Amino acid sequence: MTLNPNFQALKASYLFADIGKKVREYQAANPGADVIRLGIGDVTRPLPRASIEAMHKAVDDMARAETFVGYPTDAGIHFLEDAVIADYALRGVALAQDEIFLSDGAKSDTGNIGDIFGTDNVVAVCDPVYPVYVDTNVMAGRKIILLPCNAENDFAPPLPGEHADIVYLCSPNNPTGTAMDAAQLKAWVDWANAHGSVLLYDGAYEAFITEGLPRSIFEIPGARTCAIEFRSFSKTAGFTGVRCAYTVVPKELQCGGVSVNALWGRRQATKFNGVSYITQRGAEATFTPEGRAQVRANIAYYLNNAGTIRAGLQSLGFRVWGGVNSPYVWFAAKHGMGSWELFDLLLNEVQVVGTPGSGFGPAGKGYFRLTGFGTAERTAEAVERIRGRLG
Ligand code: MLT
């Protein structure tokens, strides 16, 4: 028996597991401590009412032989894909049913997509970056190059200075909260088409865009020959505990005459039996008029929290990014303080949990991330606690 040697090249543990462990240890040592968690981007608002009602009804469907659904992939049901198609059409993007692949999460898909690409490909990721893109490619043994995003380029990823076959882009970005405009996305699409590279575009946070920016890479001419897009109901509709997402693979995307869409379909058909019927009904309901209104209200709530954090930090003299088109607020620590140093200070002295920027890559050193996914009251309190200590 041998093990995948690439796993030896991984960091010992996953960033959010490290943070969770530190917080648990702190709470065990300080049982009365009132800890406010603005670390991992997990939602706190309940599911939209429309989804709850649709899921209750779907449970009843499962109770009757006439409406029961077995393997969703074999049941010939496509109502969720159709709702997604209608949603893209509102932004002028035309998709076919078989270009949409439902899944349990953008985390899984952005990692699993590597199955269909050669391990000799060079992968470019932004630095700082959502750790899943890096770790899954380390597991596959691929060479990874970093695209430094920093205060000088306003955390907008620069085009690679060397060859890259696969590029992960995330906009609005996790962790920095910055979002790319149409001109920036067009530059990436043109670069990818010119180099025969593929863009893996993570749009998990598109619902948070407020400034009229593109919400999909497919709004950019030329993207259908070079891009795959990942989307999720997790942050959009509070599905982190339900699990539902989708990946769009256009049929024009080819590699050496082979359809990437067909390969991803083959991979999914082999390793995945589809999203549960009840979950799909809950996700479908987010596209109804009531569902949309409820989703918008939840997003507005989180954006308001992000605005509270952003304004609070700015008033304390921090340089801040994000929080406008994103639930994430990214800021530079002051006085040369390190990311983990600030993490420890905030946890130990004011009991606020954030995410150290250095956990997202070398360019995150000296930065810190807070999320708008808490409750409004606790978010406001966290900002006041930070003000009391760092103001
Ligand atoms: C984060 O905090 O970056 C996210 O919650 C991670 C995720 O979505 O998997």
Side-chain angles (χ1 to χ4, degrees), residues 103 105-115 117 130-134 136-137 142 166 168-170 200-204 228-231 247 264:
S103 80
K107 178 178 185 173
S108 323
D109 280 2
T110 53
N112 291 336
I113 195 81
D115 277 10
F117 293 109
Y130 179 43
V132 172
Y133 313 153
V134 172
T136 55
N137 281 288
R142 290 194 190 89
I166 298 171
Y168 281 86
L169 295 175
C170 177
L200 302 181
Y201 188 79
D202 187 346
I228 293 175
E229 179 159 290
F230 305 90
R231 282 202 179 174
T247 289
W264 182 241

Side-chain angles (χ1 to χ4, degrees), residues 105-230:
K107 178 178 185 173
S108 323
D109 280 2
T110 53
N112 291 336
I113 195 81
D115 277 10
I116 63 168
F117 293 109
T119 51
D120 52 349
N121 284 304
V122 176
V123 177
V125 300
C126 298
D127 174 22
V129 65
Y130 179 43
V132 172
Y133 313 153
V134 172
D135 288 358
T136 55
N137 281 288
V138 169
M139 289 173 186
R142 290 194 190 89
K143 178 180 170 191
I144 297 172
I145 60 170
L146 302 179
L147 308 172
C149 301
N150 46 45
E152 285 67 52
N153 57 26
D154 236 358
F155 293 96
L159 297 174
E162 57 189 296
H163 179 73
D165 303 290
I166 298 171
V167 181
Y168 281 86
L169 295 175
C170 177
S171 182
N173 188 263
N174 181 11
T176 66
T178 56
M180 284 192 268
D181 63 21
Q184 289 168 318
L185 292 173
K186 175 85 169 59
W188 273 105
V189 166
D190 290 347
W191 174 89
N193 279 321
H195 290 81
S197 305
V198 64
L199 303 178
L200 302 181
Y201 188 79
D202 187 346
Y205 299 93
E206 56 83 20
F208 292 84
I209 289 176
T210 58
E211 289 189 315
L213 305 169
R215 285 171 178 254
S216 163
I217 190 81
F218 299 118
E219 290 175 48
I220 308 300
R224 287 185 58 90
T225 48
C226 68
I228 293 175
E229 179 159 290
F230 305 90

